[in-house]
Amino acid sequence: MINGNRFMTKKPSKPKHVYLMSNGDLRLSANQKCWPEQARMEAVLGKALRAKGWTVVRAHPFDKEKRHGFIDSQKMGMEVFRGLDPQAPLIVAECVWQYSHHVLPGLFTHQGPILTVANWSGTWPGLVGMLNLNGSMTKAGIRYSTLWSEDFTDRFFEEGLRQWLEEGEVTHDQSHVKDLALLKLPLADEQTGRRAARRFKEQKAILGVFDEGCMGMFNAIIPDELLHPTGVFKERLSQSALYAAMRQVSDAEAREALHWLLKKGMTFAWGQDEETELTESQTLAQCKMYIAAVRIADEFGCAAIGIQYQQGLKDLAPASDLAEGLLNNVERPPVKCRRSGRILYSGEAVPHFNEVDECAGLDGLVTNRLWRELGFAPENTLHDLRWGRHYKGNGLNDYVWVFLISGAAPPAHFIGGYKGARSERQPPMYFRLGGGTLKGISKPGHIVWSRVFVANGKLHCDLGVAEVVKLPESETQRRWRETTPQWPIMHAVLQGISRDQMMARHKSNHIQVAYAPNARQAHRACRIKAAMLAELGLEVHLCGEVAMV
């Protein structure tokens, strides 16, 4: 337990002294497991700072009882900041997933230069955590700089760190970003997008939000006054209601859904140990969640839904990811209305925004509607922008990103569809009650990627095109081993955007993706979607190489 006076002594910082803090998870098991990697990262970062003549002052101590040195609650974060000189330089160093709201109150009032730093590694989602913090600070209007590095000795990091220490900020190349307002789209594409937007706003739509604010993702909450002008409104639902609805689903209905999946060729890595393995009973509970979610969506007229899961529901039921992936797929186990027996959302996906990321929810719903109008497969999903590495071989010589999410990708995105899908137990440190993922390798093809975010009190969206490539099985397995092997993976090459440009610009841990039939149609769909979002009132930015013809 934190002593109330432990962080209360506020002393002026000495010259060339920099605070170092590490924000962590709310879950003790995750903080303990990830701490050794964080400690190694801080040691290397500290060496880089000392080499430039600076002294590192850790803003909060290692906790011997908890066996980690992370800030693990908003309460603790506030107490830590009460003891810091608000004018001093501050580094938030991350090699893990972190809950941004733990430190946002202190960062909001901190007056000294702020730098976020992550190690370029897939071991734990530190890059993902840093991007979430960056997006959250962007939404909150907090000035900050950001850097990343594999070993903190490369020229890019060295020059960025020097600039921050000397000038209090780091500048990055963002020449790949072009404001739509300064571009001229083909007239037919612009008219198509704007007509689609007007229909969208006229029809209106409801986002079903099962408990807001998942895992500290402040950046993932769209203020109502920004959302409503798009024609979308929230129905705030409770995860306790979802759990109650699960209990109304019969065992026979759950088994029927599971039988449907098995008949489609999906495999399940079942074992016997509930604590460490996926079991059939966990999968059946996930099938009940899927059925209950569809029924609640129908009851409230939701066009898309988002389940938080990670807090609250994680203590009651297995993981939501299998259900989420099924919801995002057009072809999925049929769900009947309990009263009338009619098939709900027949022939449609029920777009799901993972981790109740409302920015992804708006994006996913817009994409679903537009792709259907264009005659494209409407399945879309978010992924974590997890990590990446240059790959040379098999005709490739490019930077290949690892897009990875906890299991909510639709089978339509996978090589082999359901036959290429496998459910494996979620890692116990995050998912105590187990439950399986919806794992697969995304098929080669062309995609439109996007991200809706909040900045300067307005809704924005970045869009671009990318190619999903097929890597050798050995390389795919290596990338899975270096990240989270239970989760679905996408190998993506961003068109006209370097690794560092993407990291410097992206205002979220998540990236939205949707397939187009070919490269030409991907560029066309990107242009039309840009026009649609602009008509909905968003400030739109095209990123990288998006063709204008």
Side-chain angles (χ1 to χ4, degrees), residues 20-23 37-38 40-42 44-45 48 70 90-98 114-134 137 144-154 156-158 161 172 385-387 401 499-500 503-504:
L20 178 68
M21 67 170 50
S22 57
N23 190 30
E37 187 72 14
Q38 176 73 28
R40 284 191 288 270
M41 178 250 208
E42 289 187 20
V44 179
L45 177 58
F70 292 111
L90 170 67
I91 295 176
V92 185
E94 297 296 339
C95 82
V96 301
W97 171 254
Q98 55 85 56
I114 298 169
L115 177 69
T116 62
V117 176
N119 60 332
W120 196 263
S121 168
T123 303
W124 304 122
L127 293 164
V128 181
M130 185 189 75
L131 285 171
N132 180 261
L133 182 58
N134 290 353
M137 286 196 289
Y144 67 94
S145 296
T146 186
L147 283 171
W148 46 90
S149 177
E150 288 195 30
D151 59 10
F152 305 104
T153 62
D154 58 279
F156 170 81
F157 177 80
E158 288 275 351
L161 182 62
H172 292 290
L385 193 68
R386 178 68 179 260
W387 177 63
W401 285 90
R499 181 197 82 166
D500 294 336
M503 289 297 297

Side-chain angles (χ1 to χ4, degrees), residues 308-363:
Q308 184 189 132
Y309 180 77
Q310 273 81 353
Q311 298 309 322
L313 201 58
K314 72 175 175 59
D315 299 316
L316 294 171
S320 58
D321 299 275
L322 174 62
E324 295 169 8
L326 297 178
L327 290 165
N328 275 329
N329 215 58
V330 170
E331 187 184 23
R332 53 185 175 77
V335 178
K336 295 179 181 179
C337 175
R338 290 185 66 202
R339 293 183 297 276
S340 68
R342 66 184 172 88
I343 303 296
L344 304 178
Y345 299 90
S346 180
E348 300 179 29
V350 185
H352 181 278
F353 40 109
N354 193 32
E355 296 165 347
V356 77
D357 183 341
E358 295 166 6
C359 295
L362 174 62
D363 195 345

Side-chain angles (χ1 to χ4, degrees), residues 101-276:
H101 79 290
H102 292 173
V103 293
L104 273 178
L107 293 171
F108 189 77
T109 55
H110 194 77
Q111 299 165 40
I114 298 169
L115 177 69
T116 62
V117 176
N119 60 332
W120 196 263
S121 168
T123 303
W124 304 122
L127 293 164
V128 181
M130 185 189 75
L131 285 171
N132 180 261
L133 182 58
N134 290 353
S136 295
M137 286 196 289
T138 296
K139 179 187 173 186
I142 300 169
R143 290 179 60 87
Y144 67 94
S145 296
T146 186
L147 283 171
W148 46 90
S149 177
E150 288 195 30
D151 59 10
F152 305 104
T153 62
D154 58 279
R155 183 178 176 183
F156 170 81
F157 177 80
E158 288 275 351
E159 290 185 355
L161 182 62
R162 176 200 56 76
Q163 185 185 19
W164 185 75
L165 292 171
E166 293 178 2
E167 303 173 21
E169 64 178 357
V170 182
T171 54
H172 292 290
D173 174 20
Q174 296 194 36
S175 58
H176 67 293
V177 182
K178 300 175 181 65
D179 293 344
L180 181 64
L182 303 177
L183 301 174
K184 187 173 179 59
L185 295 176
L187 182 60
D189 294 342
E190 182 162 6
Q191 289 177 336
T192 299
R194 292 191 181 276
R195 282 196 300 266
R198 288 192 287 271
R199 285 192 294 272
F200 187 87
K201 282 198 285 189
E202 287 170 3
Q203 293 170 2
K204 296 185 175 61
I206 297 171
L207 289 186
V209 179
F210 284 97
D211 291 342
E212 209 162 40
C214 183
M215 300 196 299
M217 295 192 299
F218 175 71
N219 68 314
I221 303 171
I222 301 180
D224 289 47
E225 63 272 17
L226 298 185
L227 183 63
H228 292 173
T230 70
V232 178
F233 299 80
K234 299 178 194 178
E235 185 73 53
R236 287 177 168 86
L237 304 166
S238 171
Q239 293 196 139
S240 62
L242 178 59
Y243 180 66
M246 288 172 60
R247 300 181 69 179
Q248 299 300 312
V249 178
S250 69
D251 293 344
E253 289 174 310
R255 191 160 290 282
E256 188 176 350
L258 176 56
H259 178 71
W260 188 97
L261 295 171
L262 291 169
K263 195 173 179 180
K264 287 291 180 182
M266 186 172 171
T267 59
F268 294 84
W270 287 324
Q272 300 298 320
D273 186 351
E274 293 282 353
E275 292 188 6
T276 61

Side-chain angles (χ1 to χ4, degrees), residues 283-294:
T283 301
L284 288 168
Q286 291 181 293
C287 290
K288 289 186 176 184
M289 185 184 294
Y290 160 71
I291 294 167
V294 175

